[in-house]
Amino acid sequence: LFKKLYKINNYDRFIISSPLDHSLGMRMFFVPLLSGCTFVLMRKFSPEIYIQMIKKYKINFSILVANQIIEIVKNKNLFKKFYLKKGLVSASAALNDKIKKKFLMKKMNLFEMYGAAEIGTVTSFNINREKQYLKSVGKIYDKKIQIKILSKNNKLLPPGEIGEIICKTPLMFEKYYKKNILTKKSFYKNYFKTGDYGYIKKNHLYFLGRLKNIIKVSGLSVFPEDIEKTIKKLKYIKNCVVKSEYDKTLGEKVV
């Protein structure tokens, strides 16, 4: 499916920047092996070395996790040199609009995708071709894939309503090894419960964050991702993590 989605052929030159013990690294490793294209394996990701290797080995296609893409974009000199003829796929986390718009100006194919180790790649789209859906993480690309939105009461929600993203795919895993209770809790009528929340609108999936990350403060739902995005905009902040802690006086609080 991945080969078909991005039209990978034996003429392509592919670079693998994720560790092979990570599910994304494994999938990236098998794609070139099964398609017969040339691939280059990075020992450890570095924006500078990555750009150098693209030029040296004439790489035309790549997949990076969102944080790696952000590192490259933040370095203006590196980003000027960065170009892949076939395109770049963003994985593991949703990119913000600001980053996506920089690729639109560069006129380089950037694919946003959504997936997980348990289900593989579920959605994808080329932001250059569907600029009106910039905030989404793509749409289903194969008839065998199904996405639904589930409420807290285990009821399927209509388009536009926010709930848990559940998926059924040909590449869906069977179970967690020696974890029968976790496996049972992770499924709803043969759909895998991703633990992510979002909604579907005009056949496009919108990812909003992780359900388990929601922090209840004085009865209000606080989403760590929203706070993290704001903090990361500060000049001297490279990265941050927002989480909850229990306070005897205040109850759950944000730290």
Side-chain angles (χ1 to χ4, degrees):
L1 289 176
F2 192 93
K3 178 184 173 182
K4 179 183 174 183
L5 175 60
Y6 298 112
K7 298 177 182 178
I8 307 297
N9 58 58
N10 60 324
Y11 296 107
D12 289 321
R13 289 177 167 266
F14 193 74
I15 189 166
I16 300 174
S17 59
S18 294
L20 294 184
D21 58 356
H22 187 276
S23 64
L24 180 63
M26 291 178 193
R27 279 180 280 163
M28 288 167 67
F29 180 72
F30 281 109
V31 168
L33 285 180
L34 295 172
S35 62
C37 71
T38 300
F39 76 93
V40 176
L41 180 64
M42 289 188 74
R43 289 189 177 185
K44 186 179 180 181
F45 179 79
S46 154
E48 292 81 8
I49 295 172
Y50 175 77
I51 300 297
Q52 289 171 15
M53 292 179 84
I54 287 174
K55 186 177 180 180
K56 181 178 179 180
Y57 296 105
K58 298 178 181 178
I59 305 296
N60 69 337
F61 182 74
S62 181
I63 301 171
L64 293 177
V65 298
N67 282 343
Q68 292 173 335
I69 295 173
I70 292 168
E71 280 188 63
I72 294 170
V73 173
K74 279 184 175 179
N75 189 320
K76 292 181 180 179
N77 290 328
L78 281 182
F79 190 56
K80 282 180 183 177
K81 301 173 187 175
F82 182 37
Y83 190 80
L84 295 163
K85 190 174 181 180
K86 179 160 271 189
L88 173 69
V89 180
S90 172
S92 297
L95 283 175
N96 62 49
D97 293 358
K98 190 176 179 181
I99 299 293
K100 290 179 182 178
K101 286 173 182 176
K102 286 186 182 293
F103 278 90
L104 288 175
M105 291 170 66
K106 198 176 182 69
K107 295 182 179 179
M108 175 175 149
N109 287 326
L110 176 66
F111 300 90
E112 178 87 72
M113 61 156 282
Y114 173 82
E118 295 90 344
I119 49 179
T121 303
V122 180
T123 67
S124 180
F125 81 126
N126 187 335
I127 67 165
N128 292 274
R129 295 177 185 171
E130 297 187 84
K131 298 173 188 177
Q132 67 271 38
Y133 300 110
L134 213 59
K135 293 181 183 293
S136 82
V137 289
K139 59 185 178 183
I140 292 173
Y141 63 91
D142 191 275
K143 292 179 181 178
K144 296 176 184 176
I145 297 170
Q146 295 179 49
I147 302 175
K148 304 286 184 184
I149 304 297
L150 193 67
S151 73
K152 290 180 181 178
N153 302 321
N154 283 341
K155 291 183 179 179
L156 295 178
L157 296 171
E161 291 199 24
I162 298 171
E164 183 173 7
I165 301 167
I166 61 174
C167 306
K168 187 190 291 185
T169 75
L171 298 176
M172 189 162 64
F173 81 136
E174 185 179 334
K175 60 183 178 181
Y176 291 110
Y177 183 61
K178 292 185 178 180
K179 292 185 178 180
N180 295 332
I181 295 174
L182 177 60
T183 300
K184 190 176 181 180
K185 287 181 178 179
S186 298
F187 284 91
Y188 170 82
K189 295 183 178 179
N190 296 322
Y191 281 81
F192 175 68
K193 299 173 73 177
T194 63
D196 296 332
Y197 67 99
Y199 63 95
I200 296 171
K201 190 175 181 181
K202 294 184 178 179
N203 295 321
H204 283 71
L205 178 66
Y206 292 79
F207 168 81
L208 298 177
R210 291 287 294 164
L211 277 169
K212 68 177 183 180
N213 287 348
I214 294 176
I215 304 169
K216 287 285 185 179
V217 181
S218 301
L220 298 174
S221 294
V222 176
F223 304 117
E225 292 85 359
D226 293 339
I227 302 171
E228 287 170 357
K229 283 178 185 176
T230 303
I231 293 173
K232 286 176 184 177
K233 290 177 183 177
L234 298 174
K235 186 177 179 180
Y236 298 106
I237 300 295
K238 184 175 181 182
N239 211 337
C240 69
V241 174
V242 172
K243 68 184 190 74
S244 68
E245 274 188 7
Y246 183 74
D247 184 279
K248 288 183 180 179
T249 306
L250 301 172
E252 201 169 11
K253 66 175 184 178
V254 176
V255 295

